[in-house]
Amino acid sequence: MASSGVRLEWSDAIGKRVRTGDVQAQTVPTLVAARGALEEAGDEFGLLAGRREVAAQLVDSFMEEAKVVYVIYKVWTAGFLDWLGEQGVTVAERDAEMERLRHLLAWRDGRPLDPEASWAELGAQAGRLASGIRSYDLRVADAVPLLETLAGGWRGLHDRYADLMAGVLAYVARRFGEARLEDCYRAVLEPYIRERYMPFDTRVTPYPETLERNIYLVLEAMRAHMGGPRRDGEVDVEEHDDRWVVSFDPCGSGGRSMRGDDIEGTPSRVLAPYEFGVTQERHDWAWNETGICYYCAHCCLALEKLPMERWGHPVRVVDPPRWGGSPDAPETQRRCTWTVYKTLESIPESAYQRVGHQKPQLPVIQAPPRPDTATAASD
């Protein structure tokens, strides 16, 4: 199990407790790491007892990762509903569509989607599991299946909540036209941009000082999106001289929705009964490509276009899959990749041009290095 030595520590740079380890170590799904630590500790109290505490903390960390995505979807839901109201959609119309989507995205046992109730249940489950691991009340053989149950519970909630976002976007496109998705997204994403992406503003923080935070948050987020062929949060990373390329096969949100859900046996969300929609026209806010699922377009705005508008450069460069006409088409099956460039100079002109921008002439005006950083560099 590829988890030996994994632990958690406080990060001043990121402002919370984070997993330790290099970039490759961060690609291990968090509950896989928790299982590894638990199996290292075993059932006998002794020298390796501390690994049980690490396993329990990794369960907590998994919920922290999931919480980030859960809260984002919660904020977006409120934002979508507010925007629809501002466009004249009545409360009755809005509620009827949300009720339809909750039933369309029901659990296997027929329960309509209720994110708040499911999240509360998941939190209680995680708390009992972490407590039982710490206290030795759970043997390894009993705890391992519970780790898998926790992962499956979050995966099911995550997928349905992501699909709910896609369903609302499809409603916007049907009612107001595809082009209005940009207006909707700009209104809804603003709190998300302020909280998650303004720390990358190069007018405030020099670009090199953003890289640690950037690559960590990429890997943390995509672990939480439960991507990969086993849908356990697996992420692949290739490091080059000028960039890191992070890929997901599939991404657990947009990529999974276009391919369909093999675990639950449900079809592509582009097709009936979902029909959540992909771009039919070319837009700057969707990489000027057709076949981009409406959900995936938020990555173009949040990671590329809006940062370019505000401080000139993308946070990350995304190359998403495209709907190729069927779930099995090569374009649909393509990996999603996120690229974090190590310098502004290495970001290619094409990354700007495809979303309707030109790369600013370098050097650009940036914040000066912080005094403590300059001092450390000279030591």
Side-chain angles (χ1 to χ4, degrees):
M1 194 67 63
S3 62
S4 183
V6 172
R7 59 188 177 84
L8 294 153
E9 65 180 22
W10 181 262
S11 168
D12 287 331
I14 298 176
K16 66 178 183 180
R17 193 172 57 166
V18 300
R19 277 176 45 176
T20 61
D22 62 15
V23 169
Q24 289 300 326
Q26 299 293 339
T27 66
V28 177
T30 297
L31 289 186
V32 173
R35 175 175 176 171
L38 179 63
E39 290 176 342
E40 289 166 9
D43 292 325
E44 298 297 324
F45 184 75
L47 291 176
L48 293 176
R51 297 303 290 164
R52 272 201 171 236
E53 176 59 30
V54 169
Q57 289 184 16
L58 286 168
V59 171
D60 298 339
S61 183
F62 173 79
M63 292 302 294
E64 154 64 15
E65 294 171 358
K67 176 268 296 180
V68 172
V69 178
Y70 173 81
V71 171
I72 287 170
Y73 290 161
K74 187 179 181 72
V75 170
W76 286 6
T77 300
F80 284 134
L81 297 181
D82 287 345
W83 187 87
L84 288 170
E86 291 167 1
Q87 310 313 306
V89 178
T90 68
V91 172
E93 290 174 314
R94 182 195 71 187
D95 289 352
E97 178 61 15
M98 294 300 288
E99 188 69 9
R100 183 188 76 85
L101 289 170
R102 289 192 177 101
H103 280 83
L104 178 63
L105 302 171
W107 294 88
R108 291 179 177 183
D109 62 7
R111 287 177 296 133
L113 174 62
D114 182 346
E116 291 81 5
S118 294
W119 178 255
E121 181 182 337
L122 200 68
Q125 180 183 342
R128 291 191 297 270
L129 176 56
S131 178
I133 289 172
R134 286 186 169 98
S135 63
Y136 282 80
D137 288 336
L138 284 173
R139 296 181 61 82
V140 171
D142 298 322
V144 166
L146 295 177
L147 290 170
E148 295 172 354
T149 300
L150 182 64
W154 167 240
R155 183 178 58 244
L157 174 55
H158 164 276
D159 293 357
R160 288 169 172 80
Y161 218 168
D163 287 346
L164 183 64
M165 302 300 98
V168 175
L169 290 163
Y171 177 77
V172 170
R174 288 195 306 270
R175 178 134 185 184
F176 300 104
E178 183 175 283
R180 292 297 308 281
L181 287 171
E182 179 179 11
D183 299 333
C184 178
Y185 258 140
R186 283 179 178 272
V188 172
L189 291 178
E190 188 56 36
Y192 169 65
I193 297 295
R194 288 199 304 268
E195 187 275 334
R196 193 157 179 86
Y197 294 114
M198 291 308 290
F200 299 104
D201 186 345
T202 57
R203 298 168 298 181
V204 178
T205 305
Y207 186 78
E209 294 181 25
T210 68
L211 293 176
E212 176 186 349
R213 181 188 188 95
N214 199 346
I215 195 66
Y216 184 85
L217 292 185
V218 168
L219 296 168
E220 177 190 68
M222 300 318 293
R223 292 194 301 262
H225 278 300
M226 303 296 282
R230 289 178 289 275
R231 294 299 318 283
D232 60 358
E234 182 179 338
V235 182
D236 293 316
V237 180
E238 294 180 4
E239 183 170 2
H240 303 267
D241 290 342
D242 62 341
R243 68 196 186 280
W244 292 277
V245 179
V246 186
S247 65
F248 330 107
D249 188 19
C251 161
S253 48
R256 181 265 320 161
S257 73
M258 286 198 294
R259 293 185 186 185
D261 192 329
D262 291 338
I263 291 177
E264 298 209 6
T266 52
S268 168
R269 278 27 174 187
V270 180
L271 303 175
Y274 305 99
E275 298 179 330
F276 287 163
V278 297
T279 54
Q280 303 299 308
E281 303 169 357
R282 299 180 186 274
H283 308 277
D284 286 349
W285 48 267
W287 299 284
N288 279 298
E289 295 275 7
T290 58
I292 300 297
C293 87
Y294 292 153
Y295 175 93
C296 291
H298 87 269
C299 289
C300 182
L301 276 160
L303 300 178
E304 300 183 27
K305 190 166 181 61
L306 293 178
M308 288 180 197
E309 291 176 359
R310 299 183 186 195
W311 60 86
H313 302 281
V315 175
R316 301 158 198 148
V317 175
V318 179
D319 290 294
R322 294 173 51 245
W323 177 248
S326 72
D328 297 328
E331 299 94 329
T332 309
Q333 290 287 322
R334 188 171 66 189
R335 284 173 173 259
C336 182
T337 65
W338 288 12
T339 301
V340 177
Y341 286 93
K342 296 181 180 179
T343 65
L344 293 176
E345 288 77 7
S346 59
I347 303 174
E349 295 271 359
S350 59
Y352 300 81
Q353 294 168 351
R354 66 181 185 160
V355 294
H357 288 261
Q358 295 296 319
K359 184 172 182 176
Q361 186 175 356
L362 297 174
V364 296
I365 297 173
Q366 291 194 60
R370 295 173 183 167
D372 57 341
T373 303
T375 300
S378 64
D379 288 345

